Amino acid sequence: MASILSAYLSLSSSSQEVQQVLQSVIDAPSSSFDPSIRAQLIEALLEDLQSAFSSDASRSRLSQQDSAKALLTVKMLGRSPSGSEQLQKPTTFSTLLSLTKSLIERDDNNAASEALRCIANTMVLFEDARVTFISPEVNGGEIAIIMLNETTDPNLIFVLSRLLFFVTVSQNPFVQSLVEDQRQDGRTAVDVIASKLELDSLMEESKLERDAMSELLKFAFNLLLHYPKMVQSEPQVLAKDDVKVLGDFWNSKLDGRVALKILPPLLKIYYALPSTSSVPLDAPLTNVIHNLITIPVSPSLRPIWFGQGGGHADVLKRTRDILDASFSLFFPSNSSPDDQKIRESFKQALRFTSIPLDTSPNDLLTPLVVLCTHLCLANEECKNRIKKWIIPDNLDRTHPLDERTDFLGKCLRMLGSVYHTTLKNAVGEMLFVVSDQDPTTMSTLFGYGHVAGFLFEKDFKSPPPSNTATSVPSASAQTSADHREVNPITGTFVTEESKGKSPGDDMTPEEKEREMEKLFVLFDRLEKTGSLPPDQNPMRKIIQQSMQQDGNPGSSNDD
């Protein structure tokens, strides 16, 4: 492509072919450029762009009107690391930021966006460039947050948020300064984010606005995730057994500095965000959920979480509705979550969203389940409402619970999943919480055969319930006196004819074999993954005991 380089270098400020030559570079395959040619073209373009906005613009081959096309050309050339190394230099970053400022002053936001995208692409290709960008020599992070504060243009919000997301992916001093240091008008980065989340323009359904909202929320998530771990904070614990909760590193001092500012707009978006597809979970709604699970439902924040100050919507109902719709879509009827057709249909559904096609149900659905658990842990009323939704007072226990087509059935089938381990564990935690974090209660409500694997992974290695029927308390505390006997292994009701008998006496041989096989598979999986030592596998013990009772054929003296 030496001919293209020669064509560009032969141009003058008065040439009519500038746009044509630039377009030829844009259209050319990236692989067609020799690294040295690529490097020379990038250098020449950046020098000409800088000159075009200087006092001696006549030295440039480009006019200011050529900026957008010229910067797009630099961006296209910079998509290959070989030959574009100079783009990560501090001087190049400073040049591109200076051009951005000048272009914004000229109301040429499209060209300004292209300049910033050159930086963003460089950060993708060269990870060290992220450190360079926020170095004192460039001061790019500070410049970016000031630009973000001043703009309402979705295009600029998108690319500025992406830059700030890249430089806050890991814990570093810049993250702490963004939260603590006041900038223009005494505002911190959290104030800036909150103000942008309030923009009505970002609630539009067009792809640009939704992408801008998503990138802004990704940047916010980095701050909410990392900052509490960098300052004096304590991991939050549950009321029982001191179990740590994902993301709950927090300190009450952060309520005013962070949560009180950003939680109200987050909840407002969570309630009001329009859906543009038949898939209930799509960006930026997924990004909102990621942010919400980092903020504790502490006593001082509960008025915002549950209505006062955060609007009058019902955060739990919203969460439950999305959960129900998502599970119904991705795991229809009473299908197994591990079924090949189900996994293929999941990927097909993602084609109608902005979510990457390599996203798994673990990635997409787990945060939503965690949010539901998050709310149930912090509020007794939430826990009782979700419990009553999953296990209503009038639940039909005359048929196997894991064959149901409702949310309960889908959850119980998920507990046996091999492919969706993270989601399986999250669902198990949710069911555990609504069971008052008590393994016996959990076994009683859902049947030991369904929850045994989960309980063993939580280190509850007690044997299955005894061979006596037990009772299931109503999901509602107001009617807790209403008890009905159930089979502790299956979770189904004990019939009148079998009351007082062993739970297995009212089961057909096929049903017994089915439950035994289910337990065997569960514990075999745990043993193979190393979660369960062989000598603690109850099914192995049962088999060994059965062999001993039947006599060991190998020890026979009949020969």
Side-chain angles (χ1 to χ4, degrees), residues 101-273:
K101 290 180 183 178
S102 299
L103 290 164
I104 291 176
E105 289 173 359
R106 294 181 65 247
D107 291 327
D108 193 350
N109 288 349
N110 288 334
S113 173
E114 292 295 351
L116 294 171
R117 287 170 190 266
C118 291
I119 299 175
N121 285 354
T122 303
M123 289 184 181
V124 173
L125 291 179
F126 307 101
E127 194 166 326
D128 289 345
R130 304 176 186 187
V131 178
T132 303
F133 185 72
I134 58 176
S135 67
E137 190 174 358
V138 178
N139 203 31
E142 294 296 331
I143 295 171
I145 197 67
I146 291 173
M147 287 183 178
L148 181 61
N149 182 45
E150 294 175 344
T151 189
T152 58
D153 183 289
N155 203 357
L156 289 176
I157 291 175
F158 169 83
V159 68
L160 287 166
S161 297
R162 173 161 288 189
L163 292 176
L164 291 164
F165 165 76
F166 284 146
V167 297
T168 56
V169 165
S170 59
Q171 295 181 29
N172 59 64
F174 182 60
V175 171
Q176 190 165 348
S177 73
L178 283 171
V179 177
E180 295 179 351
D181 296 348
Q182 296 181 344
R183 290 163 177 81
Q184 294 179 342
D185 303 323
R187 290 154 63 86
T188 66
V190 175
D191 295 308
V192 173
I193 292 171
S195 66
K196 300 306 163 187
L197 292 176
E198 294 280 7
L199 290 175
D200 291 336
S201 60
L202 293 192
M203 296 297 292
E204 299 293 331
E205 295 192 36
S206 73
K207 186 178 186 304
L208 176 59
E209 279 73 17
R210 292 173 71 88
D211 287 348
M213 176 73 79
S214 294
E215 291 301 318
L216 183 63
L217 288 166
K218 289 178 186 177
F219 168 42
F221 174 75
N222 283 350
L223 299 187
L224 292 171
L225 179 67
H226 295 313
Y227 178 72
K229 299 176 184 178
M230 299 177 65
V231 297
Q232 187 177 3
S233 303
E234 297 179 357
Q236 302 297 295
V237 296
L238 309 186
K240 194 170 185 177
D241 297 328
D242 291 340
V243 180
K244 296 178 182 178
V245 186
L246 173 67
D248 271 353
F249 278 85
W250 205 258
N251 185 298
S252 59
K253 293 179 181 179
L254 302 179
D255 290 356
R257 178 177 287 166
V258 179
L260 288 175
K261 298 175 181 179
I262 205 167
L263 182 56
L266 282 174
L267 288 172
K268 180 181 177 181
I269 297 169
Y270 187 53
Y271 303 141
L273 198 63

Side-chain angles (χ1 to χ4, degrees), residues 284-488:
L285 181 58
T286 50
N287 307 112
V288 176
I289 294 168
H290 287 143
N291 278 269
L292 289 175
I293 61 177
T294 67
I295 302 176
V297 190
S298 60
S300 59
L301 297 176
R302 282 174 189 164
I304 299 177
W305 273 105
F306 299 116
Q308 304 172 31
H312 300 289
D314 186 336
V315 64
L316 186 70
K317 183 179 184 302
R318 173 70 164 153
T319 303
R320 188 195 72 183
D321 290 346
I322 302 173
L323 260 178
D324 195 23
S326 299
F327 272 63
S328 295
L329 174 66
F330 295 125
F331 310 114
S333 186
N334 60 350
S335 57
S336 165
D338 289 345
D339 187 282
Q340 179 66 29
K341 292 181 179 179
I342 296 299
R343 287 183 281 139
E344 290 175 356
S345 66
F346 176 83
K347 293 188 178 297
Q348 289 296 322
L350 294 186
R351 295 183 182 278
F352 300 98
T353 74
S354 59
I355 299 170
L357 295 180
D358 60 352
T359 301
S360 71
N362 286 321
D363 302 324
L364 185 63
L365 297 172
T366 297
L368 182 61
V369 178
V370 169
L371 177 58
C372 184
T373 306
H374 196 63
L375 296 169
C376 292
L377 284 168
N379 185 276
E380 190 74 13
E381 180 185 350
C382 286
K383 183 186 74 174
N384 289 334
R385 286 173 59 192
I386 292 297
K387 183 177 182 179
K388 194 168 184 177
W389 171 51
I390 298 176
I391 320 167
D393 295 342
N394 61 348
L395 178 66
D396 180 10
R397 291 179 177 269
T398 58
H399 300 287
L401 300 184
D402 62 339
E403 293 183 1
R404 297 175 62 88
T405 60
D406 60 4
F407 187 71
L408 170 60
K410 298 178 193 304
C411 287
L412 295 183
R413 288 190 294 278
M414 182 58 68
L415 291 183
S417 173
V418 175
Y419 292 100
H420 314 303
T421 305
T422 306
L423 179 57
K424 174 185 71 174
N425 292 336
V427 168
E429 287 292 342
M430 179 178 65
L431 299 182
F432 187 64
V433 168
V434 301
S435 303
D436 300 322
Q437 302 173 64
D438 184 277
T440 301
T441 301
M442 188 178 191
S443 297
T444 301
L445 289 173
F446 302 108
Y448 183 76
H450 300 128
V451 302
F454 170 79
L455 291 175
F456 262 70
E457 288 187 331
K458 281 189 71 68
D459 209 29
F460 290 110
K461 294 183 170 62
S462 57
S466 60
N467 287 336
T468 56
T470 185
S471 58
V472 177
S474 166
S476 171
Q478 286 72 26
T479 58
S480 58
D482 179 20
H483 290 64
R484 294 196 56 187
E485 290 186 328
V486 300
N487 183 313

Side-chain angles (χ1 to χ4, degrees), residues 513-529:
E513 183 178 349
R514 177 178 176 273
E515 293 301 323
M516 183 65 79
E517 182 180 355
K518 185 190 303 178
L519 286 171
F520 181 84
V521 171
L522 271 173
F523 289 112
D524 185 58
R525 287 174 179 171
L526 287 172
E527 186 177 314
K528 287 180 178 178
T529 59

